[in-house]
Amino acid sequence: MSRLSKSKLLAFRQCERRLWLELHRPGLRQDDNASQAAFANGHLVGALARQLYDPGRQGVLLDPVSDGVDAALARSRHLLAGAQPLFEAGFEGGGALAFADILLPLDPGPDADADAQRWRMVEVKSATKLKDYHRDDAAIQAYVTRAAGVALDGIALARIDSRWVYPGNGQYGGLLVEEDLSAEAFGRSGEVASWIARAGEVAAQEHEPVIRPGDHCASPYPCGFTAHCTARMPQAAYPVHWLPRIASRALKQHIIDGAADMREVPDALLNPIQLRVKQHTLEGTTYVDAGGAAADLAPYPPPAWFIDFETIAFAVPVWAGTRPFQMIPFQFSVHRLDETGKLEHRAFLDLSGSDPSRAFAEALLDACHGEGPVFVYNAGFETARIAELAARFADLGPALLAINARVVDLLPVARERYYHPAQEGSWSIKRVLPAIAPELRYDQLDGVQDGGAAMHAFLEAIAPDTAAERKGQIERQLLDYCHLDTLAMVRLWEFFTGRQEPCDLERRILQNGELVERILASEQEMSEPMSAEEFIAWLGQVKNDAAPEDQAQAK
């Protein structure tokens, strides 16, 4: 039977089916991008912790992956005779395995037995708060290590202090703070022993446990086997998870009891928004409160600005003056619509690898200069970033906060005044836009199609080993993606206000004087109606069919 490691026991604590799959069908696991990013953060914070806890570089780092588990266990046992800090030391006892992030030798004191070196364990987490599964983690580590005969006197959890501000120059003292869990962890040995016993029974089962997917699939962390488990379930035509903001106890319990389709949910359990989603989804109809939307936006006429930010967050800050996991904006897109309907675009993107914050703030002030509403989609995000910039740069603070005072959020308007069944219960702009402006497609963008991809692209672009050609490609992808975000807001605004504004293609034609002159001077005629694709092809022919004198001048 496979050995039960701490990670396997934590998988068992989440779901017995997950443990069985981890041991017998590991190839089915599919971790999403967020999980992979969390793993990467964990490795980064762990490496930094080794530096902080061993400034003299006297410790020993073990590698069970390269050396093999048995070799790492044997070497760990040998190193216990010394008094060096140990990193990833492994022990086997009580029916399970445990590898300690940090094992620190304790000062024996004048009355201690010289032959019995005592130790303190520190488990390092890239989280900012102590969570229940961290407590389980510490309890397992303490039980297994003590069962292996190690003289463990204490165990603590080191987590990130989200309030800490990086001073720069590689000085990371203070990033981690400890939570002592010794008494609690040592007092749970009976619990851990029962977990190990039951996990062993599950591991020995011939067949995969039958456990229905549910909330536990994402708690306390996303399970990589969710796709496997849900693939075997009958797929509801109108899944209950399309109902937005499932918060009431009665509704949650109804779903736990087996309701999988919205048709199985009584209307009495739903709030007005949920009921609207259910009714229009089942009927296949669109809900539009055109008058309400127009009234909501009537106080905010053009000139108007439409803004969107892209940000990056580091568990371990890399720029002075920033905090762990602080969202640092590195890109914006701004569309400005004037009173005549003319649309202009401004953009900012910093891929230098240096802190983009100051340059971002100054460029944003320039792009949003003037008086008029500043439209966003989900105001809490952009206004929080602007407020953080105002706090960091006092000289720019008043002007930045003045932008916040002009902000108008389109999301509440969309949520209250519009719903299309294709949204599947979501008011993300990527869900609303295809229903209102189907010609604008995020899935047709090259490379970057969502915020998560934008973060990954940014990190790749600023990496020292990224080729210049690839960096240029990423730059274009990021600019196109953010541009679409704000153009989408313009389209939503036009739809909600009921304005018959020219489409973006028409705007580009009208704003291109040379192309307009060629169209007017062209001998080609549009004798019959054309599709959009045919019209674009016709325009290309017109554009290339320059007059002979134009061609001569070009030469």
Side-chain angles (χ1 to χ4, degrees), residues 63-355:
D63 188 353
V65 176
S66 298
D67 300 339
V69 171
D70 289 329
L73 293 175
R75 190 179 180 207
S76 298
R77 176 66 60 183
H78 174 74
L79 290 169
L80 288 176
Q84 298 169 279
L86 304 179
F87 305 103
E88 301 300 331
F91 308 100
E92 186 170 18
L97 289 172
F99 288 87
D101 290 338
I102 300 172
L103 201 60
L104 301 172
L106 295 175
D107 184 352
D111 301 324
D113 184 348
D115 295 329
Q117 174 64 56
R118 309 199 70 80
W119 301 86
R120 184 174 79 91
M121 185 185 295
V122 181
E123 287 298 292
V124 181
K125 304 300 175 186
S126 58
T128 59
K129 296 180 180 179
L130 178 64
K131 302 175 182 177
D132 287 343
Y133 66 91
H134 294 150
R135 298 178 185 276
D136 291 350
D137 183 311
I140 295 169
Q141 293 289 79
Y143 175 80
V144 175
T145 304
R146 279 189 158 186
V150 179
L152 186 68
D153 283 1
I155 182 168
L157 182 135
R159 60 169 179 80
I160 291 175
D161 182 358
S162 60
R163 299 169 300 177
W164 179 79
V165 178
Y166 176 47
N169 299 317
Q171 302 300 310
Y172 287 99
L175 171 67
L176 299 177
V177 292
E178 283 192 13
E179 304 267 4
D180 182 48
L181 299 177
S182 302
E184 176 186 331
F186 294 149
R188 299 180 68 187
S189 57
E191 280 185 80
V192 177
S194 68
W195 300 343
I196 294 172
R198 176 56 188 160
E201 294 173 358
V202 173
Q205 291 179 10
E206 182 178 355
H207 300 291
E208 179 179 339
V210 179
I211 297 176
R212 180 186 176 91
D215 290 346
H216 63 277
C217 297
S219 179
Y221 25 68
C223 175
F225 297 100
T226 300
H228 162 74
C229 295
T230 55
R232 299 185 177 188
M233 296 179 61
Q235 299 301 307
Y238 307 103
V240 291
H241 67 253
W242 289 359
L243 294 172
R245 299 183 178 183
I246 299 174
S248 75
R249 292 182 180 179
L251 179 55
K252 285 184 176 180
Q253 188 59 52
H254 191 69
I255 294 172
I256 291 172
D257 290 341
D261 192 292
M262 282 194 279
R263 290 171 294 187
E264 301 168 354
V265 180
D267 291 352
L269 295 180
L270 304 178
N271 63 35
I273 295 293
Q274 292 168 341
L275 186 58
R276 180 183 302 159
V277 168
K278 176 185 175 181
Q279 291 176 340
H280 287 277
T281 299
L282 298 184
E283 294 170 1
T285 57
T286 302
Y287 170 80
V288 183
D289 179 2
D296 291 341
L297 297 175
Y300 312 107
W305 289 254
F306 301 80
I307 69 173
D308 180 74
F309 300 167
E310 299 303 324
T311 62
I312 191 67
F314 298 97
V316 177
V318 299
W319 298 314
T322 63
R323 295 176 283 103
F325 296 109
Q326 182 177 355
M327 294 182 179
I328 309 298
F330 62 84
Q331 178 182 10
F332 70 66
S333 171
V334 175
H335 272 92
R336 182 182 183 276
L337 185 68
D338 71 12
E339 299 92 327
T340 68
K342 181 180 179 181
L343 191 64
E344 298 176 338
H345 181 252
R346 299 276 294 274
F348 174 90
L349 175 61
D350 187 342
L351 299 180
S352 67
S354 300
D355 184 358

Side-chain angles (χ1 to χ4, degrees), residues 341-533:
K342 181 180 179 181
L343 191 64
E344 298 176 338
H345 181 252
R346 299 276 294 274
F348 174 90
L349 175 61
D350 187 342
L351 299 180
S352 67
S354 300
D355 184 358
S357 303
R358 176 85 192 190
F360 178 100
E362 292 174 342
L364 182 67
L365 288 173
D366 185 52
C368 294
H369 179 72
E371 295 183 1
V374 176
F375 288 101
V376 299
Y377 202 84
N378 187 17
F381 181 77
E382 272 80 15
T383 56
R385 306 291 80 75
I386 291 173
E388 289 166 354
L389 290 170
R392 288 184 63 191
F393 307 111
D395 58 321
L396 304 180
L400 287 168
L401 294 178
I403 294 178
N404 268 0
R406 296 161 55 196
V407 163
V408 180
D409 195 350
L410 287 172
L411 175 56
V413 180
R415 185 180 290 122
E416 292 295 328
R417 309 301 185 183
Y418 184 83
Y419 182 74
H420 187 284
Q423 293 174 222
E424 298 181 352
S426 170
W427 277 270
S428 160
I429 197 167
K430 295 173 180 61
R431 289 286 192 177
V432 178
L433 181 65
I436 290 176
E439 74 278 8
L440 296 181
R441 299 272 299 273
Y442 281 92
D443 60 1
Q444 290 183 347
L445 292 173
D446 178 30
V448 177
Q449 298 180 354
D450 57 52
M455 287 186 178
H456 289 293
F458 175 79
L459 292 175
E460 182 183 355
I462 67 173
D465 57 349
T466 299
E469 181 178 359
R470 173 58 181 153
K471 189 170 183 176
Q473 181 185 37
I474 292 172
E475 181 179 18
R476 291 189 295 274
Q477 292 174 350
L478 286 169
L479 289 170
D480 288 345
Y481 168 67
C482 205
H483 174 274
L484 181 55
D485 271 342
T486 50
L487 180 59
M489 281 188 269
V490 174
R491 288 297 179 85
L492 263 59
W493 178 87
E494 291 172 350
F495 179 83
F496 290 141
T497 57
R499 303 206 177 198
Q500 298 299 316
E501 300 291 342
C503 73
D504 193 53
L505 176 60
E506 292 169 330
R507 285 196 183 97
R508 293 183 183 182
I509 295 170
L510 294 173
Q511 293 175 24
N512 188 328
E514 180 185 358
L515 182 56
V516 170
E517 290 179 5
R518 289 183 180 177
I519 291 173
L520 295 175
S522 174
E523 296 181 356
Q524 303 175 60
E525 295 184 0
M526 291 187 292
S527 57
E528 297 181 359
M530 296 183 181
S531 68
E533 292 79 7

Side-chain angles (χ1 to χ4, degrees), residues 23-36:
L23 295 172
H24 298 280
R25 304 288 300 279
L28 296 175
R29 180 170 169 171
Q30 299 177 345
D31 292 315
D32 58 20
N33 290 335
S35 296
Q36 293 176 10

